[in-house]
Amino acid sequence: MMNAPLTMTQAAVERIKILLDQRGKPSAGIRIGIRTKGCSGMSYTFEYADEKNPYDELVEHEGITVMIDPKAIMFILGTEMDFVEDKMQSGFVFTNPNEKGRCGCGKSFHV
């Protein structure tokens, strides 16, 4: 996955596979985007994708397809997506080299 706009850890890949299998209907993959939200300005969006949009940036790895919304690509470029799970919480975590700051709760960021 070198030179991909987004890289994924093995934990993220495995979790995406589980989510897609549990969905109960065919999916083209997942779509990641950015929206204006939160106390720091932007937050990541994550949704099932029923079809590929013509301008989505595609990252394919181990049989899964991650689509990046074209409006988000400049904010996501170089980001690593991970999935973490511990006693208190579980979820996807984004390590983004473009971030200039993050809010205290970790739900939003700014570039």
Side-chain angles (χ1 to χ4, degrees):
M1 290 181 24
M2 298 304 282
N3 298 322
L6 172 86
T7 58
M8 295 174 280
T9 65
Q10 192 61 39
V13 169
E14 294 302 320
R15 185 61 182 168
I16 291 168
K17 286 180 180 180
I18 290 168
L19 291 172
L20 290 171
D21 287 343
Q22 291 176 345
R23 185 172 186 213
K25 74 178 202 175
S27 299
I30 60 153
R31 181 170 290 110
I32 297 174
I34 301 284
R35 70 176 171 176
T36 303
K37 180 182 174 189
C39 50
S40 203
M42 291 185 262
S43 66
Y44 298 99
T45 62
F46 185 91
E47 64 186 6
Y48 293 109
D50 291 327
E51 59 186 38
K52 297 174 186 173
N53 292 336
Y55 299 107
D56 282 340
E57 185 77 32
L58 302 179
V59 177
E60 296 175 328
H61 187 69
E62 291 188 30
I64 63 166
T65 301
V66 175
M67 290 156 253
I68 303 172
D69 184 294
K71 295 176 204 148
I73 192 69
M74 65 188 261
F75 300 109
I76 290 180
L77 198 60
T79 296
E80 179 187 69
M81 181 175 152
D82 193 9
F83 181 78
V84 295
E85 193 168 21
D86 61 30
K87 292 179 184 178
M88 300 297 288
Q89 64 183 355
S90 66
F92 289 99
V93 176
F94 296 87
T95 304
N96 186 336
N98 304 304
E99 286 183 17
K100 300 293 185 228
R102 190 173 268 270
C103 70
C105 67
K107 299 285 184 192
S108 64
F109 67 97
H110 66 275
V111 291

